[in-house]
Amino acid sequence: GGSALIETFGRGEQGSMSTVYHLDGNDLRLTHYCGAKNQPRMKAVGYDPSEGVIRFEFVDITNLSAPDAYYTRRVILTLKDEDHIEVRFSGKNRGKESVSTYSLTRVRD
């Protein structure tokens, strides 16, 4: 119905991950269905239209297996053009920060 955008990637041995983007009133939100089998939820906290960058920050999480288990805390989405985006996930695992960056291309139905 046009109320959400679903991004799916990472097919293969590690399985796939999905992120669902949607509006909550005037707020842009996301839920990331992570390969770590948890679901961090975030809210957009900044948008730079000249760079095409949207910054999301952690709100809460479901299904965290342990207090120090890996989870994504921040997502930076860069809109490269109509068919290409870069997604940067910043996470924390046992107190250590990590960053993973993915370049994605739209697959049209």
Side-chain angles (χ1 to χ4, degrees):
S3 67
L5 174 71
I6 302 171
E7 164 191 283
T8 301
F9 64 96
R11 296 176 194 190
E13 288 182 22
Q14 296 178 352
S16 65
M17 297 185 287
S18 295
T19 304
V20 178
Y21 301 88
H22 65 92
L23 287 174
D24 180 18
N26 291 326
D27 295 330
L28 179 59
R29 304 270 183 151
L30 71 75
T31 301
H32 177 62
Y33 297 86
C34 189
K37 297 183 174 49
N38 56 45
Q39 301 81 35
R41 296 184 287 205
M42 299 180 205
K43 177 181 171 181
V45 296
Y47 173 56
D48 179 347
S50 66
E51 297 291 324
V53 174
I54 306 170
R55 290 185 358 261
F56 292 88
E57 293 289 337
F58 182 83
V59 173
D60 63 13
I61 192 166
T62 58
N63 208 36
L64 187 63
S65 62
D68 64 346
Y70 176 82
Y71 68 97
T72 302
R73 299 164 31 106
R74 182 174 301 113
V75 171
I76 298 175
L77 183 68
T78 304
L79 309 169
K80 299 291 191 178
D81 61 36
E82 185 177 301
D83 293 320
H84 300 90
I85 62 173
E86 180 180 276
V87 184
R88 186 173 359 155
F89 294 99
S90 297
K92 196 169 189 179
N93 187 20
R94 294 182 171 83
K96 294 185 180 180
E97 296 284 335
S98 65
V99 176
S100 299
T101 303
Y102 300 89
S103 294
L104 306 178
T105 301
R106 179 195 318 247
V107 175
R108 296 193 184 262
D109 291 336

